[in-house]
Amino acid sequence: VKYILQYMQAEIEKKKDKGWYSMHEFDVPVYDIVINKGADFVLDIELDDDNNSATPFDMSQYSFAACIKTSANEDTPIANFTFDKSKLNQGVITVKLPASETKKLLTDGDYWKETTQYYWDMVMMDGTKKVTRICQGTVQVSPGISDILWQR
């Protein structure tokens, strides 16, 4: 995700140089993920300081929320991510969804390549209650085969 955020910033700068940049064109980086049904999902997201890309962004004073929905118009998420916050002062937040939750995600496919699509995003809130979406994208859920072994 760090590299995606840097790429998006570079694209914004190119657009500004050409004089045709829209504020909404690159507001939130898109990061599509694949979740294997019945397996633990873990994703490290790294943010850099806007003023110095070599300096990690200290997120220790922020709160986070991320979920999966069938569409943006749905009120109820089908899954809520949890977080490992042990590296926040290093600019890293770890997004997690345990196997006990991924096995509940509905899939239509008969094998790994026949995925079911959902949507996700992640927001962070600072001490003044300002909420910022930091990434968004699709979730492709791949049906599991061996997860049935744990149910015996």
Side-chain angles (χ1 to χ4, degrees), residues 77-126:
I78 59 170
N80 290 298
F81 291 98
T82 60
F83 305 97
D84 176 349
K85 300 177 182 179
S86 62
K87 298 179 187 175
L88 289 179
N89 62 345
Q90 300 167 28
V92 177
I93 179 77
T94 302
V95 181
K96 300 171 123 186
L97 197 60
S100 61
E101 292 300 312
T102 66
K103 75 178 183 180
K104 296 176 188 175
L105 298 172
L106 299 178
T107 57
D108 296 327
D110 291 327
Y111 72 107
W112 66 271
K113 198 172 183 180
E114 293 178 345
T115 61
T116 302
Q117 182 170 293
Y118 297 102
Y119 302 91
W120 83 293
D121 70 5
M122 181 172 168
V123 295
M124 65 182 191
M125 183 173 64
D126 68 14

Side-chain angles (χ1 to χ4, degrees), residues 16-84:
K16 284 180 182 176
D17 290 342
K18 293 180 181 178
W20 49 277
Y21 169 69
S22 164
M23 282 302 291
H24 300 288
E25 196 164 350
F26 291 107
D27 279 351
V28 181
V30 174
Y31 191 74
D32 298 330
I33 58 177
V34 175
I35 294 178
N36 295 305
K37 183 174 181 166
D40 291 324
F41 175 81
V42 178
L43 172 67
D44 283 337
I45 296 178
E46 184 176 347
L47 297 180
D48 293 329
D49 187 302
D50 284 339
N51 300 319
N52 182 353
S53 63
T55 304
F57 180 69
D58 183 358
M59 297 184 282
S60 59
Q61 301 302 312
Y62 289 80
S63 300
F64 298 88
C67 69
I68 299 171
K69 290 184 176 182
T70 55
S71 78
N73 297 324
E74 290 294 321
D75 291 330
T76 306
I78 59 170
N80 290 298
F81 291 98
T82 60
F83 305 97
D84 176 349

